[in-house]
Amino acid sequence: MRKTIIAGNWKMNKTATEAEALLRGLLDGDSRTDKAQLLVCPPYTALETAGKLLKGSHIALGAQDISEHEEGAYTGDISAQMILTLGATYVILGHSERRQYHAETDQLVNAKVKTALNAGLTPIICVGETLEQRENNETESVVAAQVKGTLADLASDQLKNVVIAYEPVWAIGTGKTATPEQAQQMHQFIREKVAEKDTEAADLLPILYGGSMKPKNAADLLGQKDIDGGLIGGASLDADNFIGILKAAR
Ligand code: 13P
């Protein structure tokens, strides 16, 4: 049985005070289930508040990025150790917005994945094609290269500790969701690519779907064989919507 993960990527939203209100809404709401791991990834500035509130709860904490370096003269960067000490156990890496606005490459993401794993964090590695790439029939080649590049040189025990999120760029924040069939096809494809490296790790690998997942479309997406959860942006900023998606998973 693979783990189901319902993860909220808050992106650059919520001050620490606003984060507290949202988290209280989740903790006080109907968010308890053994069918899925609930995870929130607030901005760095709300991690400490979130870590204190979520300590000992059923909701896990993650960050949205880390540096590939352990420490040192890297102005503005945040290390794996810094987020770990605030209670984070997951980190999103290689999100398309980091790739687009901060020119992150598969090679850099791969270095961050190794840093995260060495620190004991679970990386959620994002892959996905742009609309142009899909229209040019490059979806599979682009995603295959991202999977290969970001997982390069990982040992088999490390591969068993990663999560992948398939996030078609054209579906992020656009209200356009991949159809359950489109998403399932790509999730199966990603699992096959990982199986070429290690079949056991591929079987265990949680592959989350991301891109305009909402309470109303979540059940169809999460019902697909190779869709093991969601990485949710907009709909994770509201407790009722996020819990609505969680309910679709159970
Ligand atoms: P939306 O759910 O807002 O489309 O964002 C998806 C996403 O990018 C999650 O990482």
Side-chain angles (χ1 to χ4, degrees):
M1 261 299 269
R2 284 192 291 271
K3 202 195 282 190
T4 300
I5 302 171
I6 301 296
N9 174 8
W10 294 6
K11 308 191 179 184
M12 197 174 74
N13 294 292
K14 306 285 178 190
T15 62
T17 311
E18 290 163 349
E20 180 167 349
L22 173 52
L23 292 172
R24 286 200 190 283
L26 292 176
L27 289 167
D28 296 343
D30 181 15
S31 66
R32 239 160 274 264
T33 171
D34 51 13
K35 296 265 165 54
Q37 173 64 60
L38 201 57
L39 165 68
V40 291
C41 301
Y44 293 129
T45 46
L47 280 180
E48 183 165 16
T49 302
K52 285 180 181 155
L53 270 170
L54 300 180
K55 196 166 184 211
S57 81
H58 60 290
I59 305 179
L61 183 65
Q64 300 171 17
D65 187 31
I66 51 163
S67 167
E68 71 275 30
H69 303 290
E70 280 177 22
E71 64 178 352
Y74 303 102
T75 301
D77 283 351
I78 299 288
S79 74
Q81 206 55 42
M82 291 170 182
I83 67 161
L84 267 170
T85 56
L86 298 179
T89 50
Y90 288 82
V91 62
I92 298 169
L93 294 174
H95 191 280
S96 61
E97 287 149 17
R98 304 271 340 149
R99 293 173 184 265
Q100 186 181 351
Y101 306 129
H102 297 271
E104 293 205 2
T105 60
D106 290 328
Q107 198 182 9
L108 175 65
V109 178
N110 177 245
K112 293 184 175 191
V113 168
K114 290 173 184 161
T115 302
L117 287 167
N118 287 337
L121 289 164
T122 302
I124 300 178
I125 305 163
C126 302
V127 299
E129 80 287 359
T130 62
L131 183 58
E132 194 186 2
Q133 290 163 336
R134 178 163 280 263
E135 285 173 345
N136 290 337
N137 286 323
E138 291 166 357
T139 300
E140 291 197 348
S141 60
V142 165
V143 171
Q146 290 173 334
V147 169
K148 186 164 181 244
T150 56
L151 298 181
D153 310 319
L154 294 194
S156 153
D157 62 320
Q158 291 182 307
L159 267 183
K160 289 186 185 116
N161 285 315
V162 307
V163 174
I164 290 183
Y166 170 61
E167 300 206 310
V169 178
W170 48 272
I172 296 177
T174 57
K176 273 190 222 147
T177 323
T179 64
E181 295 73 28
Q182 281 174 324
Q184 163 58 28
Q185 190 193 354
M186 287 312 296
H187 281 231
Q188 186 178 335
F189 176 77
I190 291 166
R191 201 176 305 286
E192 285 164 6
K193 288 291 133 194
V194 176
E196 288 171 12
K197 295 170 79 76
D198 188 311
T199 50
E200 207 186 326
D203 270 351
L204 289 169
L205 174 72
I207 307 179
L208 317 184
Y209 169 79
S212 299
M213 193 185 261
K214 310 284 175 202
K216 65 174 177 346
N217 60 28
D220 283 346
L221 287 159
L222 296 170
Q224 302 297 311
K225 182 162 82 56
D226 288 290
I227 301 185
D228 308 307
L231 183 55
I232 298 123
S236 73
L237 298 174
D238 173 87
D240 290 341
N241 279 330
F242 197 43
I243 290 174
I245 293 173
L246 179 68
K247 283 186 171 162
R250 62 192 191 194

